[in-house]
Amino acid sequence: GLLAELIGWASPDGEAITREFEFPDFARAMAFMTAVAVRADRMDHHPEWSNVYRKVSVRLTTHSAHGLTRLDFELAGYMAEVAQGLGC
């Protein structure tokens, strides 16, 4: 399925996908969150996430669908691209 195409993501409960990103420094973690926030707003699909220093923990789900949709996988793919570009 779609999850198999995403490296580093897991779906422990089948209702969301999760991943922890670790960046070289805090500034790049913030750059990641800023870039993703712009895309998420455009998509009207917002992540559940938190940041501690260099780490950003992410959980994606579609509340209106009570589970996973194409939007979750699309945003996850974008996050992976941005993270890779920032040295994650």
Side-chain angles (χ1 to χ4, degrees):
L2 293 172
L3 182 60
E5 297 173 22
L6 296 173
I7 297 168
W9 290 84
S11 183
D13 58 9
E15 294 180 8
I17 52 177
T18 61
R19 181 171 173 186
E20 184 169 277
F21 294 91
E22 188 167 351
F23 295 89
D25 52 43
F26 178 73
R28 280 183 260 200
M30 288 298 94
F32 168 79
M33 293 183 86
T34 301
V36 171
V38 171
R39 173 65 67 97
D41 248 2
R42 252 190 255 134
M43 293 172 67
D44 193 29
H45 189 67
H46 301 89
E48 297 173 15
W49 57 4
S50 62
N51 162 255
V52 178
Y53 184 45
R54 300 182 311 139
K55 293 181 182 177
V56 178
S57 301
V58 178
R59 181 177 186 269
L60 297 175
T61 189
T62 303
H63 295 283
S64 60
H66 304 288
L68 291 163
T69 66
R70 173 189 56 78
L71 291 173
D72 299 301
F73 293 97
E74 186 180 318
L75 190 55
Y78 179 72
M79 287 181 167
E81 287 175 30
V82 172
Q84 187 174 18
L86 291 167
C88 179

